[in-house]
Amino acid sequence: EDQVTQSPEALRLQEGESSSLNCSYTVSGLRGLFWYRQDPGKGPEFLFTLYSAGEEKEKERLKATLTKKESFLHITAPKPEDSATYLCAVLRNTGGFKTIFGAGTRLFVKA
Amino acid sequence: GAGVSQSPSNKVTEKGKDVELRCDPISGHTALYWYRQRLGQGLEFLIYFQGNSAPDKSGLPSDRFSAERTGESVSTLTIQRTQQEDSAVYLCASSLIDGYTFGSGTRLTVV
């Protein structure tokens, strides 16, 4: 069964304290892995798509990496405005079009 | 429009009543998705539209749930005889290729 597991559930950082969020996945044929950011009361906001192992994408203080079993979202020198829930999701390349989401990691960055 | 628009933003309904939720996708986006997000949980896939056909309805939880889409435009999600467990945020997303653009959701509360 396709599955996406994110860890930790919650992460508290001081401003400037770099860290990583993990997304482990099991899927029968990966078409793409996605990272989203979700602020309270809003819909998720698209960040990155990764398609193959070894691929990396960067945007400001965020960098996403992908292996055959997991993805990491690295946050360098975070700021309080980076506080949000970060969602990981996978899309299969066969048998349907639904994207399967993880439960998310809630990130809190304190000034 | 510039983004995905959902209405209403909030809906409180009595148990047993029918509700209709609306989604206006980004113009030109052929794919449209409905997801459900219960409090503190991840996104649960409901249904996917390509144009006005629905190749994947596998996530609809029961026959009380139905959805339709007019061409490559507006979609409505209808929940009949609402139950308290239907209370959640219902999110709509549209996409052209990969990577979704989400609306802000409809928060449904069944009392």
Side-chain angles (χ1 to χ4, degrees):
Chain A
E1 182 182 342
D2 298 338
Q3 201 164 7
V4 179
T5 304
Q6 291 188 247
S7 62
E9 289 186 11
L11 180 62
R12 297 181 183 276
L13 300 174
Q14 289 291 128
E15 183 172 5
E17 180 186 1
S18 301
S19 189
S20 295
L21 313 182
N22 177 263
C23 171
S24 297
Y25 65 91
T26 304
V27 64
S28 53
L30 180 71
R31 173 174 169 176
L33 184 141
F34 307 89
W35 282 97
Y36 292 85
R37 168 190 170 130
Q38 186 173 27
D39 292 294
K42 296 188 177 180
E45 174 190 348
F46 172 75
L47 293 173
F48 304 109
T49 308
L50 300 167
Y51 291 104
S52 57
E55 189 176 359
E56 297 183 354
K57 293 273 180 75
E58 285 190 68
K59 180 180 179 180
E60 296 180 354
R61 294 177 293 282
L62 301 176
K63 183 170 81 171
T65 61
L66 181 65
T67 72
K68 289 186 178 180
K69 294 184 178 181
E70 58 191 350
S71 176
F72 291 94
L73 183 66
H74 306 278
I75 303 177
T76 302
K79 297 182 178 181
E81 55 261 41
D82 294 323
S83 298
T85 296
Y86 291 85
L87 300 169
C88 171
V90 297
L91 177 64
R92 292 183 301 195
N93 58 15
T94 57
F97 301 91
K98 61 185 176 185
T99 298
I100 302 165
F101 282 79
T105 293
R106 288 176 291 139
L107 175 66
F108 304 92
V109 182
K110 187 175 179 182
Chain B
V4 177
S5 178
Q6 291 188 246
S7 61
S9 55
N10 281 285
K11 176 72 177 179
V12 180
T13 190
E14 291 181 354
K15 179 181 173 181
K17 300 279 190 182
D18 297 352
V19 295
E20 191 171 278
L21 313 180
R22 177 186 169 107
C23 173
D24 281 279
I26 292 175
S27 178
H29 279 194
T30 55
L32 185 148
Y33 306 80
W34 284 97
Y35 281 81
R36 177 168 71 179
Q37 188 173 32
R38 291 196 167 108
L39 186 64
Q41 298 188 20
L43 276 69
E44 176 187 358
F45 171 82
L46 297 178
I47 188 169
Y48 154 71
F49 286 94
Q50 182 65 38
N52 65 354
S53 66
D56 192 343
K57 306 179 184 180
S58 62
L60 293 177
S62 74
D63 59 7
R64 296 187 296 104
F65 288 72
S66 63
E68 61 180 23
R69 187 180 184 193
T70 307
E72 294 183 353
S73 185
V74 174
S75 176
T76 55
L77 176 69
T78 301
I79 309 173
Q80 295 178 309
R81 305 180 303 281
T82 52
Q83 303 294 314
Q84 288 185 327
E85 62 262 27
D86 298 334
S87 295
V89 175
Y90 289 82
L91 289 161
C92 174
S94 69
S95 72
L96 194 55
I97 306 175
D98 289 332
Y100 299 170
T101 301
F102 280 89
S104 293
T106 293
R107 181 175 299 279
L108 176 66
T109 304
V110 181
V111 296

